[in-house]
Amino acid sequence: FRPDGTLVRTVTLGDAWMDWFASLLWPQKKWINHINVDGKGNILTSSWGGQYVHVHNEHGKFLFKFGGTGSGEGQQWYPCGICTDRAGDILVADRWNHRVELFDNTG
């Protein structure tokens, strides 16, 4: 959206998520809980059902994902928020691991 509230575009995310979520018989769009746009226009999404952060370009094309279920370094257990800083680093709030993790812009 623009600052005045008008819609700029609607993006449908690629099939990377669909394969995994389809195996659970749930469409991906019902699971995306958190979204952020970085300084380059990339769209970052996370979900309680996925344990990953997915990165798409501004047109919705899948670029990469990172994370995975667990409590080890780089793993997540129910991400409950994502944001990026001015340097392009990615911060992920991890509910069940009780932490915030900082990743570089490649995850």
Side-chain angles (χ1 to χ4, degrees), residues 4 6 31 38 49 54 70 77:
D4 67 2
T6 59
W31 282 87
D38 69 13
H54 291 243
W77 201 312

Side-chain angles (χ1 to χ4, degrees), residues 62-82:
F62 176 76
L63 299 175
F64 64 92
K65 70 178 180 177
F66 65 92
T69 304
S71 58
E73 185 175 325
Q75 294 180 315
Q76 301 152 23
W77 201 312
Y78 290 90
C80 60
I82 55 173

Side-chain angles (χ1 to χ4, degrees), residues 9-21 27-37 41-47 52-65 82:
R9 81 172 60 97
T10 301
V11 176
T12 301
L13 300 179
D15 293 334
W17 278 41
M18 285 301 274
D19 294 338
W20 188 84
F21 286 121
Q28 86 179 38
K29 293 180 184 93
K30 292 185 179 181
W31 282 87
I32 295 173
N33 297 66
H34 311 98
I35 188 166
N36 188 62
V37 178
N42 293 323
I43 302 164
L44 294 83
T45 61
S46 66
S47 71
Y52 288 91
V53 171
H54 291 243
V55 181
H56 298 78
N57 70 15
E58 65 184 275
H59 303 290
K61 180 182 176 192
F62 176 76
L63 299 175
F64 64 92
K65 70 178 180 177
I82 55 173

